[in-house]
Amino acid sequence: MEKKISIAIDGPAAAGKSTVAKRLAETLSYLYIDTGAMYRALTYCALKRGVDVNDEKGLMNVLNDTYIELKPSERGQLVFVNGEDVTELIRKSDVTNSVSYVAKHPAVREEMVKRQREFAKDGGVVMDGRDIGTHVLPNAEVKIFLLASVEERAKRRHAENIARGFPSDLEQLKEEIARRDKIDSERAVAPLKKAEDAIEIDTTSLSIDDVVSEIMKIVEERVGRE
Ligand code: CDP
Ligand code: CDP
């Protein structure tokens, strides 16, 4: 395929965004940008420095001191803050349960969006998050909104936690995911929302391969029109 386009993948927690986005990026030789990992990285640093998740100024001080890198590797995408590999640490429950409070602050989002657009400026990107199609990359040529039932998403995250050796409780996960979706959908700035021109895919009973091939068809059709 010739023209390098931008692909935005949004949706609620554990809908399969990052798994699918990574696979698409590999297939297309595009850059994969996990914006959730950026909010998680900031949350990790703030918790480490004892900064309250409601203290926007304190969070901005941390963010201004924090250089976040997303590096592809054979083990998947690695996340570094100021040179420290935090790939696993940012998936732990203390970060997961605080990140949506950190991501509510307008100043935090403004700076993150600036960094995300800079990463994406040359096109050829697959970016996943909550506000990519609506706000970060409103001109993305392909916009996908992934959904799945909260039960299915909790099951997926549970299996992932077990594989990572993290403690995990399915019922608790269901509640945490629902709480995070609510905060993300109700915040004032760039909430989780399907862009008007996004294509919605309910992945509840679809495999990863099914989802990837459905999106690849959309991408090929779109690139063919460019
Ligand atoms: O992987 P999971 O769906 O659990 O979450 P994530 O994509 O790593 O995102 C973690 C959190 O970051 C979300 O719950 C949002 O609060 C926030 N986020 C956001 O506000 N905007 C984005 N573009 C991406 C993530
Ligand atoms: O990025 P997001 O939080 O939306 O989800 P993810 O981390 O990509 O996916 C959560 C888990 O669900 C992963 O372990 C995937 O392998 C799994 N998954 C699945 O079982 N079926 C799908 N159709 C998509 C993802």
Side-chain angles (χ1 to χ4, degrees):
M1 273 191 261
E2 298 193 357
K3 173 152 196 272
K4 290 206 160 194
I5 62 167
S6 297
I7 303 172
I9 313 242
D10 290 298
K17 300 179 299 296
S18 59
T19 307
V20 165
K22 245 178 265 171
R23 287 269 302 271
L24 289 170
E26 272 163 28
T27 308
L28 294 159
S29 298
Y30 278 17
L31 185 64
Y32 164 54
I33 301 161
D34 177 353
T35 64
M38 298 171 71
Y39 289 98
R40 284 173 179 272
L42 170 61
T43 305
Y44 167 79
C45 294
L47 294 177
K48 199 165 148 186
R49 280 169 53 170
V51 172
D52 191 285
V53 294
N54 297 309
D55 173 8
E56 185 172 60
K57 239 174 151 184
L59 291 170
M60 285 309 292
N61 286 335
V62 177
L63 184 54
N64 290 331
D65 288 347
T66 304
Y67 178 54
I68 303 171
E69 291 172 282
L70 305 175
K71 292 188 186 170
S73 85
E74 279 174 11
R75 287 190 287 133
Q77 181 154 282
L78 303 180
V79 184
F80 287 82
V81 287
N82 300 334
E84 178 191 358
D85 183 349
V86 297
T87 312
E88 285 293 307
L89 295 171
I90 62 169
R91 303 288 155 195
K92 294 202 164 173
S93 62
D94 56 341
V95 172
T96 302
N97 292 327
S98 297
V99 61
S100 292
Y101 299 101
V102 170
K104 270 166 76 164
H105 298 287
V108 166
R109 301 200 69 82
E110 194 182 329
E111 172 60 21
M112 288 295 194
V113 170
K114 205 163 93 190
R115 296 187 191 190
Q116 290 155 7
R117 288 184 180 148
E118 180 61 28
F119 285 147
K121 68 179 189 313
D122 299 325
V125 292
V126 186
M127 189 181 280
D128 81 331
R130 302 293 187 288
D131 59 342
I132 312 306
T134 53
H135 183 62
V136 182
L137 303 177
N139 298 322
E141 286 85 349
V142 171
K143 297 183 186 177
I144 305 291
F145 196 79
L146 291 185
L147 282 171
S149 70
V150 73
E151 286 77 15
E152 173 64 21
R153 290 186 285 126
K155 269 196 228 157
R156 291 176 183 174
R157 215 15 75 83
H158 185 57
E160 221 173 39
N161 283 343
I162 304 275
R164 281 198 162 104
F166 289 177
S168 192
D169 177 279
L170 186 59
E171 280 311 306
Q172 195 182 331
L173 266 178
K174 213 191 290 180
E175 276 169 33
E176 286 169 3
I177 285 178
R179 187 179 337 122
R180 199 144 58 88
D181 287 351
K182 185 166 153 58
I183 302 171
D184 290 343
S185 309
E186 292 180 353
R187 70 172 169 240
V189 185
L192 164 65
K193 193 171 153 232
K194 177 184 163 304
E196 271 177 25
D197 50 351
I199 297 170
E200 185 173 300
I201 303 176
D202 186 337
T203 75
T204 306
S205 52
L206 296 180
S207 71
I208 296 167
D209 284 348
D210 291 337
V211 181
V212 171
S213 58
E214 199 167 326
I215 300 176
M216 273 307 292
K217 272 191 222 140
I218 297 165
V219 170
E220 278 160 6
E221 201 262 333
R222 182 63 215 232
V223 171
R225 277 198 277 137
E226 288 295 320

